[in-house]
Amino acid sequence: MDRALNRELLQTALGDATGLPTPRELAELLARAEVALIRGARDVDPTLIVTGWYLHSVGSALPALQLYGLERQRQAFQVAGHIFDLALDAPDMDTVERLRFTFASQVANLRGSLDPNAIAAYRWRRGDVPPVEPVSEDLPLQIGTALLAMDSRWLFDRLYGLRNALAVLDQAGSVEGQGGLFRARTRLAEGAAGLHRYLVYGVAQTLDRAQAQLEEAARDTHPAADLDARWVAFHLWQLLGYFRESSLWAVLPPGAAPTVARAFTMGQPAVTTLWPPQVDLLRRDQTPYALDPAVRRLVFSIPTSSGKTLIAQVLAADHLMREGMGVCFVAPTRSLCREVEASLRGRLRALVRPADVRFDDSQFIDIGGEEPVVRVMTPERLAFLMRTDLDGVLAAYGLFVFDEAHTVADRDRGWTLEWVISTLHALTQQSDHRIIAMSAALGNRAALRGWLDPTDTGFHFDSDWRGPRRLHAIYTTVKDDATAEVLPRPRPNSPERVRYELRGRLHVRPTATGRVTSLETTEPVGALVVRPATRTRDEKASTPFYQTLAPLVGALRQGGPVLVITPTKIEASRLASAVADQAEFEGPAWLVDLAVARVGENHPLTACLRKGVAYHHASLPSELLLGIESEVVGGGLAVVVATTTLTEGVNLPVKSVVISAQGVYGPNGFEEFITGARLLNAVGRAGRAGKEAEGWIVLARNAEFGIGDFQRLAPTEDEMPIASTLSIEAALQELAELEARLAAGADAALERIGRVTDGFVSFVWYLAAIAEDRDTDIETMVQQVLPQTLAWQQLNAQARTRYGSVSRHVIAAYRGRDEETRRRWSRAGTSIQTAARLEAIVAGVVGVIQSRGGAAFTSTEEILKAVLEGGRLDRLYTLPEAVIARPHNQRSGQGTRELAVDHMALVLDWVGGASVQYLADTYLGETRDPVFRLEELADLTTSAFDNFLPWILGIIVEWVNGRLADDDADGPALPLALPSFVRYGVASEHAVHLIRSGVVSRPLATKVADEYAASSDRGDSSLREWLCSVDFADWRGRFGATPLDLRSLLEFARPPDTQLAARLLNDEEIEILVHAVGAVGAHVAVSLVDVPGHPTPSPLGLWANDALVATILPEHQAEVDAVRATGIPLQVTLATEGRDMTARIRLAASV
Amino acid sequence: MTTRRASEHLTWTRHSEADPKWTQASALALGAADIGQLATMIAGHAVEHRLSHSEALLDAWRRVQAGGALYTGIEAEALRAYLHPLDPSSDPDHLEGAVAEYLWHVLSIEDDDEPPLVRIDGPKVFLTAPGYDGLTVRRDEALVFTLWEIKKHTGANLSGVLSDAYRQLSLKAARYLTEVAATSQLIADQELAPLYARLVEAWIAGEPHLRAGVAVTAQAERAGCFHRMRESFGHLRAPDPCVGLLAVLSDIPSFARRVGEVAWTGL
């Protein structure tokens, strides 16, 4: 249901007005307009427009006149905003009229508390800036729309200059006390500039002055009224209260450093005002106050695309500056971690060194140093750090942020998150550490609160607020009886078959209870062939359901990017190919080239990408997936068909989401799994806040349409329970089995029942180790922490007693081992029985090394053989933690069998840098379908090399080296980077360094590292210094780098201690060496513009009178670019001293 | 002659019994000199309107009109911006439209047969800008608001121009009035402020104090005009919901050019 079509809201907004549609009629008109948009018709009924202006005027009435109630005015603005959003899509509107509708929509959305839609209304103007002069008639509307969309680039580029020019004009035609013809627009420009300055720089007096200027403009009495200027000024003046309340400067505590606010107002992208739930959550005038350091537990739930991440960023930035302690940000997947890292780094550039904001993805213990740092990591990584050095973790981080906290209920990984949070929660009860749990999809929110804040002294916040509206639809197919055609029988005794054309039908219900409008395709979307005698469907001759979706997806893409969620990988690739077959546009050339290089010319993904269509699933190379994600965001790809790994992995908002099916046929019939939180996560991507005011959600059903289908799109909280993995039925069964074995005298450390009991035993073992570390009683520690788990909140007393009893067995088993062994097993992070099995494997490796007689290793291959040969790799692959994919010769059907893979050789080739295609052909050659072969290889390498093997190798390296050191043995230690070699598929530490620094492409990392190693003239240069000595213009060709690669290399190229962006944004002047390409005199003012003729990111040129005189060095480009992206004008002067040319850069003083 | 008002140059014909009632103000009977005089008066009126609150610039303009010292560079630059719609070298269509609006303005102010004028909005700073062209508020027994669309007609098909005017006014009135309502509710007058604030609602509901007006400057007199206006504003419930004004000049292009030349003398 959409709120703007809610009948009560319409009733309130319209009041008892005459001459207008009734609420029912208005709902119908709006619904029709929404449905028309899906059809591609974009003209809006004039009655709607008139109603929109009426509602706008209701909303605009001064409260002092007491004409309408405040609530009615707010709702009137909401509906008006909706109408004008629709009107903005009308074709053939002239620019001035479009600007007027845009401004009206922006005002209505802001005053209707739907802030992102105010930015979305401006979408058409970005990149399409009409020219403007002081006496352009549309100047007021240009100012108003740019300000309300916070188009800082336009405002910095144009507004301040226009303001100055207008002031001269106004001065010439005014006398003391009275303004002339241009007074209104002059004051409007001044007021807008003042308001903009307040929002960006926080100068309160400019806001007071702006208020007076805007009021003067609105009240201008010149008889030749500049009505637009007065109208725009009036609304900006009326919005000042909103700006005062929602600006970053207003929300942050008075004692907060100004740099914290600037990190947002000047960051990338700039954020000057907060959205309603953000304001509600962060407002100062409430108790408890979220930013109060005394509030140590925060739990909040806000829908997707409603600004949850920004809130965490504000909390993190404030914490960093005030507490001087680090921030640990935990996100469930590595791809999300990368995304969080990138956004935090951009955001915090003004506060800390960029190098101090990092996705911690290594195998090493790297908690942080003296300076507060921000580390982004998965729960597993934090678990590893806590097992290794809990006190170090608590000393380094004062704030722990857990994003997507609902994943605590995940069957596979939830327990790790639960014990990590529980342990931190229990052990920081008396300290100042803060824990934030946030999520978009929390079911029983009370459970999470009860867990983390049993005394109810923390901060809780729930909101259902959303910016973009949502339109729900159900897609089905129907056979067209009029097209029945009896097919010729292939054989005389073949049953009769009848063929029908299928039509696609879209059932749209824009209101919760209103009429459903059904749209039918004019062309057939496929065929249905049935055997009338048996009433069965001829599957082979009928069009598969997914294929009938292609025309729908093609139609939806007219409105903006479409994300199609399919239940299986194969359906993703097939549907994408079907959509691509009908597409007539081009995909980004660089991405096509990358696909050719990684998966081959004949791969279906390559063909799809050529048509601007992609598919995305876990069995594709990660660089391609990243490239696809970046192009969907950037607009280069119109359609992406994906499995739910995408919606669970990254935040990729689109205009439309289509769920092609909610499940698949399995042994027990049709099994649905795209439901509950998973469904919510997927459909939550529809409607890009700030880009469009509406998202479309379509659920495709290969069944007859029923009105109840709409309920499927709105899962209730009951369908998204947050249940501890220890509390579910299967867990209690495992527990019973463990209890039985323990009763029979089994060793608690060595029993393997299942994942849940393994996890519980390891946890208790870990608590015992902490107690020992801290010299406290083990039972006391266990009794302190266990009750702080979510499980303890949810289990009944009997189950708690049972787990408690098992914990006593575990403690006994712990005490039964020698101190060194039990501590080592605790750190391993595996199940305790796996740790015990690793002892034997490690002993084998130590034996091999000692047998070398002290000879050093000469290659990574040699090391890997020493560790993994002798059957050790096979033994590792039989550990319960090893869930290694088993490749098959074909997808399914008769003759399907598992392939025998030479895993040892595969590891060696993988680390040796062999291409994915080579590995697939070599190790899975029996898989005939080359596409499936690549997918099987990706599954195999991901399952083996992404987590499992690096993790286990990390343990082996530590234990082996420890043994060698303890025994004072004569043998080479294993390199600490060994697990990274396996994870990243590279054989050098330089390549690992590049990847850990953000370079995603394995071939690129290898290429750059190899060139560096082979470089004869590098001298003492570090890899980074050597890279910077290569002309940036040559990087693309020399390293075969894609645009994404170049950006990551530019980030890598930055000196670790540099803070150019932070210094610039804090109004310092910086001086940097530049690469001279022409001669200049002393102190020449230059402009900073991309060097043409290079694809993005291109070299940054310094230009004097249209002549290129220098370029920014690659080591500075990322920082300078970051400041440039804020839109704040820069003042650059060049100077030559001897052979060096330097640039002095500062923010331009003109603003 | 110089003491006469502009309206006194014109021959007024009141069609008070027609539906809608309309007025014709014709200059067809005037000789060349009187036409020139009228153009000068309209130019002066327009300039004074645009240079309200700009005494220094107005003094400079009068100085040049009186044959005094030429404009300084700054004066000339400012006046070109302030008087831009009257630029005689601009698009003749725009200039003629601007002159039609000022003619309406003069006639509305000087029409003594109408109830007293309380307020008149328009012509605006940008005369070609889309939006309402004028709004008059007169006090009869009660306050009456008339929303005006102003056109000029130099071709053959007057009914086409009128149809356009009716359509624009009826389609766009709510939008025009939204802007007027938001800003004019700020006036200090306690009686007018809420009326302004409710203008859109009142217009849509057709409340009795709202009227539609169409003013056309044409080149021929008419015995009948505005016949079909009521059809476009059937929802208005005022006793006289529609009103027409037909100004007649023998040669609009040359008249407009003359107005422009006077206004822009020395620029």
Side-chain angles (χ1 to χ4, degrees), chain A residues 1023-1094:
Chain A
L1023 172 59
R1024 191 193 62 74
E1025 289 163 345
W1026 170 82
L1027 179 66
C1028 291
S1029 71
V1030 178
D1031 187 353
F1032 176 60
D1034 294 339
W1035 286 14
R1036 187 184 309 270
R1038 185 161 174 178
F1039 305 128
T1042 66
L1044 278 184
D1045 292 338
L1046 286 178
R1047 289 203 181 90
S1048 61
L1049 282 178
L1050 284 173
E1051 285 287 333
F1052 173 78
R1054 195 164 45 183
D1057 285 328
T1058 186
Q1059 267 195 291
L1060 295 185
R1063 288 168 52 205
L1064 268 173
L1065 292 174
N1066 285 305
D1067 227 8
E1068 273 184 52
E1069 180 176 86
I1070 60 162
E1071 185 169 3
I1072 52 173
L1073 277 177
V1074 294
H1075 174 60
V1077 293
V1080 294
H1083 305 295
V1084 175
V1086 290
S1087 52
L1088 189 61
V1089 178
D1090 289 345
V1091 178
H1094 297 268

Side-chain angles (χ1 to χ4, degrees), chain A residues 18-19 53 57 60-62 67-68 97 100 135 137 169 172-173 178-179 181 185 219 222-225 227-228 234, chain B residues 49-50 52-55 57 81-82 123-126 128-129 132 175 178-179 182-183 185-186 197 200-201 204-205:
Chain A
T18 53
W53 289 117
S57 112
S60 307
L62 292 172
L67 293 175
Y68 316 102
E97 205 60 1
R100 194 181 313 279
V135 292
E137 65 183 57
L169 202 55
Q178 273 196 312
L181 188 67
R185 62 175 50 205
R219 291 186 185 277
H222 196 280
L227 186 60
D228 283 342
F234 169 79
Chain B
H49 184 250
R50 299 184 69 79
S52 296
H53 311 167
S54 304
E55 274 77 1
L57 285 179
Y82 279 69
K124 296 166 298 181
V125 57
F126 294 98
T128 55
Y132 83 109
R175 198 270 277 159
T178 300
E179 291 192 25
T183 50
Q185 64 181 329
L186 296 168
V200 183
E201 183 174 16
I204 290 170

Side-chain angles (χ1 to χ4, degrees), chain A residues 325 389-398 400 424 427-428 433 774:
Chain A
M325 283 181 84
D389 183 5
L390 175 65
D391 289 332
V393 168
L394 293 176
Y397 308 120
F400 296 89
L424 290 172
L427 299 181
T428 60
H433 291 83
R774 299 186 164 197

